[in-house]
Amino acid sequence: MRRRVSFPYVGWMAVFVVVPMVLVLGFSFTSADGGFTFENFSEMTKYAPVFARSIWLAFLSTVICLIIGYPAALVMSREKPIVASAALMLLMLPMWMNFLLRTYAWMSILENNGFLNQLLGALKLPPVAIINTDGAVLLGMVYNYLPFMILPIHTVLHKMDKHLLEAASDLGADSVKAFARVILPLTLPGVLSGVTMVFVPSVSTFVISKLLGGGKTMMLGDLIEMQFTGNAYNPYLGSAISLVMMVMVLASMTIMNRFGDGEESAVMM
Amino acid sequence: MRQKYFTGRLLMIAIAVFLYLPIVIMIVFSFNSSKSRTVWTGFTLEWYSALFRNELIMSSLYTTILVSLLAAAIATVLGTAAAIGFSRMRRGTRQFFLTVNNIPAVNPDIITGVSLMLLFVFIRSVTNIELGFFTLLLAHITFNVPYVILSVMPKLRGLNKHLFEAALDLGATPIRAFWKVILPEIMPGVVSGALMAFTLSIDDFVISYFTAGSSVQTLPMTIFAMTRKRVSPEINAISTLLFTTVLLLLIVINVAQHRDQKKQKQKQ
């Protein structure tokens, strides 16, 4: 009988979740004059370099976050509880500051007369031109999404039974073997969850590329944003690109879930 | 072993510097007397007073707080009711609804944003509802509810089903039994869901950007417009104020939790 209390939200989902998805699907196959077409998808091939750059940068940022984040989570789990929880606080605090502001702050570090080049000048080193390059965009991604990699890995490490490691060493495993055979498999769900949480926002961002890439390095997010808000208003093409992005994200998540072997709960965090 | 600790700590310090360097620079330069973002010319509080005189910033701050409070409140009621209903459904049906519920949480923000924009533009073409505060609120509720449900669901799963029946046997009406028995049990989940909804709303830029139209602006939208023009030390001043507010709130919450834990220990 109490099932009824969920009906208002079921109706809400139908209107505000399902209908918008159907609209995206419908618009993808619609031409400007309202007829059915595949043209939006063939037009998209023009933007293959944008797809390639977005996926490549998102991939790099995920790999860098993993390389920095995994050891960091490992170190945190070995600290005393008070140090570990302080580190956790420090990690989450910047996330409470709007990401636009944090990204904006990097502009003053990276720009041509910025702090980085002032520092290099003081050290009598040649200046670097990093603002408005892919490198700056990549840095912005790693900066914004690194905590998303560390947190889920930290969570699984924190829940892990520490006696397992003692058992491994009692059974004659050295620390390398214990890591490879015990820690790594057990933290895999956390890693996969971190990978999705870094890759998805990286591949779809348009803010970071606008602020740090100076609009020169166009990414998938910029491309979609342009179709919906710019002078080149073309929601049909925009929907088609969105659809492709959605399929991409879903596909990568399905693959991740396969690897995680049904550890859905950890993937959802 | 010592050596290991040292390199580990070094990594943590390096990450902390990386994370906080931009924030520190921003705070320092909110007191800079010239408009330069990189050259220190002297101390001033001018940007802070300019901030409060800036009508655009103040009105967008008001919009942000209003939409976040309303969206969090409505999403909490809607989501808690939905979670209770879902928990009573057959497994297959529940799984289906939870999957649909997850769509806005799993999709990239930009896709949730543009898909809702398509819906609102469609609605505008058949009714007279313009994109504005109302559509912004609808969008915020939509992306908040999934998180309320995700945080209430586990509490419902841990609930003893017989408690509710016992309350009914003892003569409580279903509504009274809900208020006196179910709600207190799931309250921690409801509260954390509401807080999460509120912070998500306060922080959201991407979905608001596509659904607010041109008549209203949230604070993140105003900040975005300001970063595009590249001049405005007031941005540094807002960030500093927001950052200190969050810092103080977190400290207060932590101290309160710490005290609670101590009290509970003493009781035991």
Side-chain angles (χ1 to χ4, degrees), chain B:
Chain B
M1 203 59 207
R2 284 262 59 130
Q3 179 69 32
K4 234 181 185 171
Y5 256 114
F6 181 72
T7 36
R9 289 250 164 103
L10 208 61
L11 176 70
M12 290 203 337
I13 291 168
I15 291 178
V17 170
F18 176 59
L19 287 180
Y20 283 89
L21 187 69
I23 296 176
V24 170
I25 289 176
M26 183 171 268
I27 292 177
V28 170
F29 275 78
S30 72
F31 299 106
N32 191 16
S33 63
S34 78
K35 276 197 165 188
S36 169
R37 281 194 314 212
T38 48
V39 183
W40 179 259
T41 46
F43 181 87
T44 182
L45 287 174
E46 194 197 319
W47 307 117
Y48 287 86
S49 61
L51 182 66
F52 288 101
R53 276 183 274 114
N54 187 328
E55 263 172 44
L56 183 64
I57 291 178
M58 285 297 123
S59 75
S60 54
L61 178 66
Y62 173 75
T63 308
T64 303
I65 292 176
L66 192 64
V67 81
S68 304
L69 282 176
L70 284 173
I74 298 171
T76 306
V77 175
L78 208 57
T80 307
I84 290 171
F86 289 169
S87 71
R88 285 284 155 135
M89 288 173 176
R90 266 178 294 129
R91 202 184 136 79
T93 329
R94 182 175 64 222
Q95 218 51 49
F96 171 75
F97 282 133
L98 284 178
T99 309
V100 179
N101 173 57
N102 263 340
I103 292 176
V106 168
N107 254 343
D109 279 354
I110 190 170
I111 295 192
T112 308
V114 298
S115 68
L116 281 166
M117 182 183 171
L118 286 178
L119 175 74
F120 295 144
V121 169
F122 174 72
I123 289 176
R124 182 176 63 185
S125 68
V126 287
T127 64
N128 265 331
I129 303 168
E130 281 291 323
L131 269 72
F133 186 83
F134 185 60
T135 54
L136 182 68
L137 180 62
L138 292 176
H140 275 238
I141 296 169
T142 305
F143 72 72
N144 279 341
V145 180
Y147 294 93
V148 175
I149 292 182
L150 285 178
S151 85
V152 174
M153 246 2 217
K155 298 282 167 206
L156 282 166
R157 225 171 278 145
L159 198 67
N160 184 344
K161 274 183 194 145
H162 304 300
L163 276 178
F164 185 70
E165 288 161 19
L168 293 186
D169 286 348
L170 290 168
T173 59
I175 293 175
R176 192 175 156 84
F178 168 76
W179 283 106
K180 293 281 176 184
V181 179
I182 308 271
L183 194 61
E185 287 285 314
I186 62 172
M187 206 53 185
V190 175
V191 170
S192 71
L195 280 177
M196 203 192 266
F198 182 71
T199 44
L200 282 170
S201 269
I202 286 265
D203 206 43
D204 174 72
F205 163 69
V206 176
I207 297 171
S208 307
Y209 179 74
F210 288 105
T211 53
S214 49
S215 56
V216 286
Q217 268 193 356
T218 63
L219 189 58
M221 288 166 72
T222 306
I223 293 170
F224 181 70
M226 288 167 100
T227 58
R228 306 264 63 206
K229 281 180 259 158
R230 284 176 156 249
V231 274
S232 216
E234 285 150 322
I235 296 186
N236 297 349
I238 326 176
S239 351
T240 306
L241 286 181
L242 290 179
F243 189 71
T244 8
T245 315
V246 169
L247 186 65
L248 288 177
L249 269 176
L250 283 182
I251 290 173
V252 169
I253 292 172
N254 261 296
V255 170
Q257 274 178 348
H258 196 68
R259 267 198 204 147
D260 263 12
Q261 281 170 355
K262 259 193 184 167
K263 260 186 201 164
Q264 283 191 337
K265 263 186 197 161
Q266 276 170 356
K267 268 186 198 163
Q268 284 166 1

